[in-house]
Amino acid sequence: MAGPLTLAKGGSGSGCTLLGTPRPASFSQPGDFVIGGVFTIHYNFISTEYNYTSRPKAPQCMGRLDFRQMRFARTMVFAIKEINNSSELLPGVTLGYQIHDSCASVPVVVKVAFQLANGIEPVFFPNQSCSNSATVHAVVGESSSTRSIAMSRIFGPFGIPQVSHYATCACLSDKLQYPTFSRTIPSDYFQAAALARLVKHFGWTWIGAVRSDSDYGNNGMVAFLQAAQAEGICVEYSEAFYRTNPRAKVQHVAEVISRSTARVVVAFISSGDMLVLLSELEGKVLAPLQWIGSEEWVTDRKMLEFPLFTGAIGFGIPHSVIPGLRDFLLDLGPAQISNSPLLTEFWESAFGCSLGGSQTAADQKTCDGKQNLRDLQNPYTDTSQLRISNMVYKAMYAIAHAIHSIICTDEPIAPLHCNTSIRVEPPQVMEHLRKVNFSRNGYKVSFDANGDPVAAYELVNWQVMRDGSMEFVTVGHYDAAAPDGQVFIIKKNITWAGSQPQVPVSVCSESCLPGTRKAMQKGRPVCCYSCVPCAEGEISNTTDSLNCITCPADYWSNAEKDECLPKPIEFLSFHEVLGIILAACSVTGACLAIMVAAVFYRHRDTPIVKANNSELSFLLVFSLKLCFLCSLTFIGRPSVWSCMLRHTAFGITFVLCISCVLGKTIVVLMAFRATLPGSNVMKWFGPLQQRLSVLAFTLIQVLICVLWLTISPPFPYKNMKHYKEKIILECDVGSAVGFWAVLGYIGLLSVLCFVLAFLARKLPDNFNEAKFITFSMLIFCAVWTTFIPAYVSSPGKFTVAVEIFAILASSFSLIVCIFVPKCFIILFRPEQNTKKYMMGKMPSNSLKHTQIQ
């Protein structure tokens, strides 16, 4: 490990003395203001063991040279050259630079940071404090978040501003820990939110996650997982590794990816780590995986060689155009190359030959001088999609604008002038750097309070071209500063993994269709669930509904449980079979009553009619006709008036009917009591008394009905308790006391009538009505006794049907038992309808009294 470059205060007070061997810059140029630069041009270095007996040597980079990072370093040189030639920005001022190779190593970065802060002269600033010994005014770099963190911790106490072009870790926005850090590339906080929104946009709720085991990968993945959780996305696995881990670790990550059920993999990973992972995945048989990449690797052209990434999508820095940069990169002459060991190595690596005087392999050919960079196709010469290079370019211009605002006057009246004699300290540059706000080549540059720029990305898709090559295609963009609805926009068709025509599906459980709800599976993520059908009366009308919605009281769910429909309203209608049958029976009964009345009226002078109290008979037939007709009021849609009418009409007509039957029964009894010697009982039950008794019995029922209608009358009621899926429209009795009082009074009269008829059943008379009344009242009481439990237990419209049946059955029993035998004799046995026949069958006194009109 290379030892840090430090300063020691001389014992004699002679100044600051450098300890350690300085490391020469890869590219350098003097100037009025010197800007440092740190790039990862190599990925390894030669380590040195310390024996503490000699001064440590400067670390030397080795291994493969990264042409892309070389382009970044040369872009910084180009930007400084452009600024030095500008008449509007720092006119008359020369910017210098010291650009170092970090060797992708934190120890090397630490040494470089100390060197940029301290300088490389053995003794400098004599008789001054060592704390004033800064040789650069600002630094551009580093390309890695981890190494940028190491640099920032060193630059922070010195107040040296650091502007990174590629360090995206959200942790670097913490100004308490990294007060002098700024960057031109957006923070991973924004990228993580954009990636989560991208995954959510395509309906992927079951994903895998792979990250670099570094500050960049770990912090970026934490931010992504938080954003993904907020979007309802579940992660099947989250694996981390670093390229220097043992191979077993990388193999484990590859096995997890190949065995997983998630078809989408989000990779927050560096390019170097991704190359290591690819070497393990290439030998495995994998179903097409949809790779979602972070900007670190998704726009790295080295990855285009791997067909495994066909259809990969991710957010990259917007590509740009820097006029003149390509010509500058390709304009490398022999003099420049020979004066720079790094350029010499670059040249030899690019063309595979050796320049004269360099130490190369014995089998490597010598460069013949005909080599031309314009003939090469590599990341250094590729300027078709400048992304990170533009971040370097903007970083350099931001530093230049900060220095310009300190030493230059931009007053409209006075000519532009810059005073190079002003002593500029790095903290001043830091203060003005945060305030810069300018545009260059159409790109705006500014920083917020955390030193971060406005987040803007391009949505990049890896698509196969017609010639079979793979290219980055911009298919959309993400702009955090855009208005709502325009932050994330997709403009072009996307090529998917495996060249699938449709968006890949990556879910733990299939979507729950309308009519079902999600039910979480115990011990599994929220994205893994079962689809449970909604209960009766509940619906879900959206896909993946978490809960079912209860339908309103008047509505019920359809068979699919995805819509609430109005509940069907059920009542006994004239249009249904049961209603038609009952109505027909009612009309038939009324017609039968009319026919009986007609027969009795036509034969009103015959003995059989006279002997059976014709006045009460006609009144009874009339009341029975009303009983038959009142059952019609129970059929049809209940209304306020129909509900009141059906119950009161039923109660009054039946009491009128039973009163007449009761009167006829009493007349029969009294007629036979009158045959006893000295009995004058019939004078107390003559025609007037019969009329008054019927009227009195009926008025009592009328009074009960009036009280019922006054206090709490019947009303239409939607019964939703008996059936959940339909509404029973029925008449609520209002006052239960009034309803049962009406029925109870009818029952009381019926029982009284039955008892009296039963007592008179054996009277010696072929024509007395006692036995017929007894039988009719027996049926009547049986019907209404069974009516009560049937009425209470019958559901819905059948309750009304039971009530109508009871009315019809009891009415038919009366008319059939009392009047049909008499009509049969009148019509078919006229020989029995004579006074002589009747005198022979019953006592004369009895006949006389029963013929009272």
Coordinates of all heavy atoms in Angstrom, one line a residue, residues 362-394:
A362 N 8.6 -8.8 -26.6 CA 9.5 -9.1 -27.7 C 8.7 -9.3 -29.0 O 9.3 -9.0 -30.1 CB 10.4 -10.3 -27.4
D363 N 7.5 -9.9 -28.9 CA 6.8 -10.2 -30.1 C 5.9 -9.0 -30.6 O 5.1 -9.2 -31.6 CB 5.9 -11.4 -29.9 CG 4.9 -11.1 -28.7 OD1 5.1 -10.2 -28.0 OD2 4.0 -12.0 -28.6
Q364 N 6.0 -7.8 -30.0 CA 5.1 -6.7 -30.4 C 5.9 -5.9 -31.5 O 7.1 -5.6 -31.4 CB 4.8 -5.8 -29.2 CG 3.7 -4.8 -29.5 CD 3.3 -4.1 -28.2 OE1 4.0 -4.2 -27.2 NE2 2.1 -3.5 -28.3
K365 N 5.1 -5.6 -32.6 CA 5.7 -4.9 -33.7 C 6.0 -3.4 -33.3 O 5.4 -2.9 -32.4 CB 4.8 -5.0 -34.9 CG 3.5 -4.3 -34.7 CD 2.6 -4.4 -36.0 CE 1.3 -3.7 -35.8 NZ 0.4 -3.8 -37.0
T366 N 6.8 -2.8 -34.1 CA 7.1 -1.4 -33.9 C 6.2 -0.5 -34.7 O 5.9 -0.8 -35.9 CB 8.6 -1.1 -34.3 OG1 9.5 -2.0 -33.5 CG2 9.0 0.4 -34.0
C367 N 5.8 0.6 -34.1 CA 4.9 1.5 -34.9 C 5.6 2.1 -36.0 O 6.8 2.6 -35.8 CB 4.4 2.6 -33.9 SG 3.4 2.0 -32.5
D368 N 5.1 2.1 -37.2 CA 5.7 2.6 -38.4 C 5.4 4.0 -38.7 O 5.8 4.6 -39.7 CB 5.4 1.7 -39.6 CG 3.9 1.6 -39.8 OD1 3.1 2.4 -39.2 OD2 3.5 0.8 -40.7
G369 N 4.6 4.7 -37.9 CA 4.3 6.1 -38.1 C 3.1 6.3 -39.0 O 2.7 7.5 -39.2
K370 N 2.5 5.3 -39.5 CA 1.3 5.4 -40.4 C 0.0 5.3 -39.6 O -1.1 5.4 -40.2 CB 1.4 4.3 -41.5 CG 2.6 4.5 -42.4 CD 2.5 3.4 -43.5 CE 3.7 3.5 -44.4 NZ 3.7 2.4 -45.5
Q371 N 0.1 5.1 -38.3 CA -1.1 4.9 -37.5 C -1.8 6.2 -37.4 O -1.2 7.3 -37.3 CB -0.8 4.4 -36.1 CG -0.3 3.0 -36.1 CD 1.1 2.8 -36.5 OE1 1.9 3.8 -36.5 NE2 1.5 1.6 -36.9
N372 N -3.2 6.1 -37.5 CA -4.0 7.3 -37.5 C -5.2 7.0 -36.6 O -5.9 6.1 -36.8 CB -4.5 7.7 -38.9 CG -5.2 9.1 -38.9 OD1 -5.7 9.6 -37.9 ND2 -5.2 9.7 -40.1
L373 N -5.4 7.9 -35.6 CA -6.5 7.7 -34.6 C -7.9 7.7 -35.3 O -8.8 7.1 -34.8 CB -6.5 8.7 -33.5 CG -5.4 8.6 -32.5 CD1 -5.4 9.8 -31.5 CD2 -5.5 7.3 -31.7
R374 N -8.0 8.4 -36.4 CA -9.3 8.4 -37.1 C -9.7 7.1 -37.7 O -10.9 6.9 -38.1 CB -9.2 9.5 -38.2 CG -8.9 10.9 -37.7 CD -8.9 12.0 -38.8 NE -8.6 13.3 -38.2 CZ -9.4 14.1 -37.7 NH1 -10.7 13.8 -37.7 NH2 -9.0 15.3 -37.2
D375 N -8.7 6.2 -37.8 CA -9.1 4.9 -38.3 C -9.5 3.9 -37.3 O -9.9 2.8 -37.6 CB -7.8 4.3 -39.0 CG -7.4 5.1 -40.2 OD1 -8.2 5.8 -40.8 OD2 -6.1 5.1 -40.5
L376 N -9.5 4.3 -36.0 CA -9.9 3.5 -34.9 C -11.3 3.6 -34.5 O -11.9 4.7 -34.7 CB -9.0 3.8 -33.7 CG -7.5 3.5 -33.8 CD1 -6.8 3.9 -32.5 CD2 -7.3 2.0 -34.1
Q377 N -11.9 2.5 -34.0 CA -13.2 2.5 -33.4 C -13.1 2.0 -32.0 O -13.1 0.8 -31.8 CB -14.2 1.7 -34.3 CG -14.5 2.2 -35.6 CD -15.3 3.5 -35.5 OE1 -16.1 3.7 -34.6 NE2 -15.2 4.4 -36.5
N378 N -13.0 2.9 -31.1 CA -12.9 2.4 -29.7 C -13.5 3.5 -28.8 O -13.9 4.6 -29.3 CB -11.5 2.1 -29.3 CG -10.6 3.3 -29.4 OD1 -11.0 4.5 -29.2 ND2 -9.3 3.1 -29.7
P379 N -13.7 3.3 -27.5 CA -14.4 4.3 -26.6 C -13.7 5.6 -26.6 O -14.4 6.7 -26.4 CB -14.3 3.6 -25.3 CG -14.3 2.2 -25.5 CD -13.5 2.0 -26.8
Y380 N -12.4 5.7 -26.9 CA -11.7 7.0 -26.9 C -12.2 7.8 -28.1 O -12.4 9.1 -28.0 CB -10.2 6.8 -26.9 CG -9.5 8.1 -27.0 CD1 -9.2 8.9 -25.9 CD2 -9.0 8.6 -28.3 CE1 -8.5 10.1 -26.0 CE2 -8.3 9.8 -28.4 CZ -8.1 10.5 -27.2 OH -7.4 11.7 -27.3
T381 N -12.3 7.2 -29.3 CA -12.6 8.0 -30.5 C -14.1 8.1 -30.7 O -14.5 8.9 -31.6 CB -12.0 7.2 -31.7 OG1 -12.6 5.9 -31.8 CG2 -10.5 7.1 -31.6
D382 N -14.9 7.4 -30.0 CA -16.4 7.4 -30.1 C -16.9 8.6 -29.4 O -17.0 8.7 -28.2 CB -17.0 6.1 -29.6 CG -18.5 6.1 -29.8 OD1 -19.0 6.9 -30.6 OD2 -19.2 5.2 -29.2
T383 N -17.3 9.6 -30.2 CA -18.0 10.8 -29.7 C -19.4 10.9 -30.2 O -20.0 12.0 -30.2 CB -17.2 12.0 -30.1 OG1 -17.1 12.1 -31.6 CG2 -15.8 12.0 -29.5
S384 N -20.0 9.8 -30.6 CA -21.4 9.8 -31.1 C -22.4 10.1 -30.0 O -23.4 10.7 -30.2 CB -21.7 8.5 -31.8 OG -21.6 7.4 -30.8
Q385 N -22.1 9.7 -28.7 CA -23.0 9.9 -27.6 C -22.2 10.3 -26.4 O -22.0 9.6 -25.5 CB -23.8 8.6 -27.3 CG -24.8 8.2 -28.4 CD -25.8 7.2 -27.9 OE1 -25.6 6.6 -26.9 NE2 -26.8 6.9 -28.8
L386 N -21.9 11.6 -26.4 CA -21.1 12.1 -25.3 C -22.0 12.4 -24.1 O -22.9 13.2 -24.2 CB -20.4 13.5 -25.7 CG -19.4 13.3 -26.8 CD1 -18.9 14.7 -27.2 CD2 -18.2 12.5 -26.4
R387 N -21.8 11.6 -23.1 CA -22.6 11.7 -21.9 C -21.8 12.2 -20.7 O -21.9 13.3 -20.3 CB -23.3 10.4 -21.6 CG -24.2 9.9 -22.7 CD -24.8 8.6 -22.4 NE -25.5 8.0 -23.6 CZ -26.8 8.3 -23.9 NH1 -27.5 9.0 -23.1 NH2 -27.4 7.7 -24.9
I388 N -20.9 11.3 -20.2 CA -20.1 11.7 -19.1 C -19.0 12.7 -19.5 O -18.7 13.5 -18.7 CB -19.5 10.4 -18.5 CG1 -20.6 9.3 -18.2 CG2 -18.7 10.7 -17.2 CD1 -21.7 9.9 -17.3
S389 N -18.6 12.6 -20.7 CA -17.7 13.6 -21.2 C -18.2 15.0 -21.0 O -17.5 16.0 -20.7 CB -17.3 13.4 -22.7 OG -16.6 12.1 -22.8
N390 N -19.5 15.1 -21.3 CA -20.2 16.5 -21.1 C -20.2 16.9 -19.6 O -20.2 18.1 -19.3 CB -21.6 16.4 -21.7 CG -22.2 17.8 -21.8 OD1 -21.6 18.7 -22.2 ND2 -23.5 17.9 -21.4
M391 N -20.3 15.9 -18.7 CA -20.3 16.2 -17.3 C -18.9 16.8 -16.9 O -18.8 17.7 -16.1 CB -20.6 14.9 -16.5 CG -21.9 14.3 -16.7 SD -23.3 15.4 -16.3 CE -23.9 16.0 -17.9
V392 N -17.8 16.2 -17.5 CA -16.5 16.7 -17.2 C -16.4 18.1 -17.8 O -15.8 19.1 -17.2 CB -15.4 15.8 -17.9 CG1 -14.0 16.4 -17.7 CG2 -15.5 14.4 -17.3
Y393 N -16.9 18.3 -19.0 CA -16.9 19.6 -19.7 C -17.6 20.7 -18.8 O -17.1 21.8 -18.6 CB -17.5 19.4 -21.0 CG -17.5 20.6 -21.9 CD1 -16.3 21.0 -22.6 CD2 -18.6 21.4 -22.2 CE1 -16.2 22.1 -23.5 CE2 -18.6 22.5 -23.0 CZ -17.4 22.8 -23.7 OH -17.3 23.9 -24.5
K394 N -18.8 20.3 -18.3 CA -19.6 21.3 -17.5 C -18.9 21.5 -16.2 O -18.9 22.7 -15.7 CB -21.0 20.7 -17.3 CG -21.8 20.7 -18.6 CD -23.3 20.6 -18.3 CE -23.7 19.4 -17.6 NZ -25.2 19.3 -17.4

